[in-house]
Amino acid sequence: MEQTTTLPLPPKKKIPRKKVIRNWLIAAFLVAMYAWTFSSIGINWGQIVSERTLNNMGRVIPQLFSPEWAVALDALRLMGETLAMAYTGTLMAALLAVPFGFFAAKNMVDSRIVNTAAKWALDGIRAFPEIMLALIFVAAIGPSAFAGVLAIAVGSIGMLGKLYSEVIESIDMHVVESLEANGANKAQILFYGIIPQVIPEFLSYAIYRYEIDVRSSTILGLIGAGGIGMMIQISTMNRNWDEVGMALLIIIFVVTVIDYVSSAIRKRIV
């Protein structure tokens, strides 16, 4: 009869005391942050579960899930305006962000002042949310889809310019150096050494930004910047929740289709 021998279990590693103290400090900090957050924003838990709130939800939510099909054509027309607004704004931003990307790239600009100024400009643009820019443009030129286009264009430059600069900084500089060694001028280096390397990534980021801008465009309409957001605003003010449900249904469908199509296109490009 063979005897089976059991191997001894390896000894448990003892966690260093400093690591234990650090983990407890991190946990305590997170708990304190959550406690401070919930206490500072003044959440009224009693109001959330009050009879009035529950009655309002019981009246609104069923209407949202019973969309008014009679306004479907108007909602589709306004959704088309939203898509056009996002496309125009993204196209303007994709083009205007190119010089910002080159100026912000360290391997393209020798001047540290110009490089830093371009990066600060992109940071400053990203600090303004699209809805704030839309408020400014609506006040300047009046409620219209053009105000939304300008808000999207300006807001998208910050993100695209930063991404473009990172793409430019990651190019293969040996190609540029080879062209310089063979006597190519700056224009030839740009068109034959740099642009072919960055175009696929530029297009991919521009398409991805279009996805984001479509969602942003639906919100900008709430403040008078055109598109289907204006329908949601008017229907909400009139308490026509079934019309709001129709608008939300179309938004969900269109955004889902755009996400799927753009993901497929970006995979092919990159």
Side-chain angles (χ1 to χ4, degrees):
M1 183 175 179
E2 296 183 357
Q3 294 182 350
T4 57
T5 58
T6 57
L7 297 175
L9 296 174
K12 293 183 178 179
K13 293 183 179 180
K14 188 176 180 180
I15 302 176
R17 184 178 179 83
K18 289 183 178 180
K19 192 173 182 179
V20 174
I21 295 174
R22 184 197 65 182
N23 292 340
W24 276 108
L25 289 175
I26 293 174
F29 174 76
L30 292 175
V31 170
M33 284 293 295
Y34 278 111
W36 172 76
T37 301
F38 281 99
S39 62
S40 61
I41 59 180
I43 298 178
N44 189 342
W45 298 103
Q47 185 178 1
I48 294 176
V49 297
S50 65
E51 183 178 355
R52 180 182 178 183
T53 301
L54 295 177
N55 289 336
N56 289 336
M57 293 176 64
R59 177 172 52 85
V60 172
I61 292 178
Q63 294 185 53
L64 288 175
F65 285 93
S66 301
E68 178 58 63
W69 293 95
V71 299
L73 291 178
D74 289 337
L76 285 172
R77 178 181 58 82
L78 291 172
M79 190 67 210
E81 183 178 296
T82 297
L83 294 176
M85 185 169 64
Y87 177 78
T88 307
T90 306
L91 180 61
M92 293 172 61
L95 296 176
L96 294 174
V98 173
F100 278 98
F102 275 93
F103 286 130
K106 294 180 180 179
N107 56 343
M108 292 290 114
V109 178
D110 295 331
S111 174
R112 188 174 180 180
I113 296 175
V114 175
N115 187 258
T116 303
K119 289 184 177 180
W120 284 0
L122 293 173
D123 291 340
I125 293 172
R126 289 200 307 276
F128 289 90
E130 283 84 359
I131 194 166
M132 182 181 296
L133 294 170
L135 285 170
I136 295 172
F137 286 119
V138 166
I141 64 177
S144 63
F146 185 54
V149 169
L150 294 177
I152 290 171
V154 175
S156 299
I157 288 175
M159 172 185 169
L160 289 177
K162 178 177 175 56
L163 293 175
Y164 286 179
S165 67
E166 293 177 354
V167 172
I168 295 169
E169 288 178 347
S170 65
I171 65 173
D172 185 2
M173 291 301 293
H174 291 94
V175 177
V176 177
E177 293 170 358
S178 298
L179 289 171
E180 289 178 344
N182 285 279
N185 56 36
K186 292 186 179 298
Q188 290 172 329
I189 293 172
L190 176 65
F191 285 103
Y192 296 104
I194 299 174
I195 291 181
Q197 296 190 64
V198 301
I199 280 293
E201 294 287 346
F202 279 16
L203 292 175
S204 176
Y205 284 131
I207 294 172
Y208 176 66
R209 182 65 204 190
Y210 177 66
E211 295 179 29
I212 299 173
D213 288 338
V214 169
R215 300 185 185 94
S216 300
S217 300
T218 60
I219 302 299
L220 299 183
L222 298 175
I223 57 173
I228 198 169
M230 294 190 69
M231 177 182 177
I232 295 176
Q233 181 191 31
I234 295 172
S235 299
T236 302
M237 293 173 62
N238 294 328
R239 302 294 189 270
N240 295 329
W241 303 110
D242 51 353
E243 295 182 1
V244 175
M246 186 72 249
L248 294 177
L249 180 63
I250 289 176
I251 291 172
I252 293 171
F253 174 76
V254 171
V255 169
T256 302
V257 172
I258 289 175
D259 285 349
Y260 177 78
V261 173
S262 64
S263 297
I265 293 173
R266 284 189 286 113
K267 286 180 181 178
R268 284 184 172 273
I269 291 174
V270 176

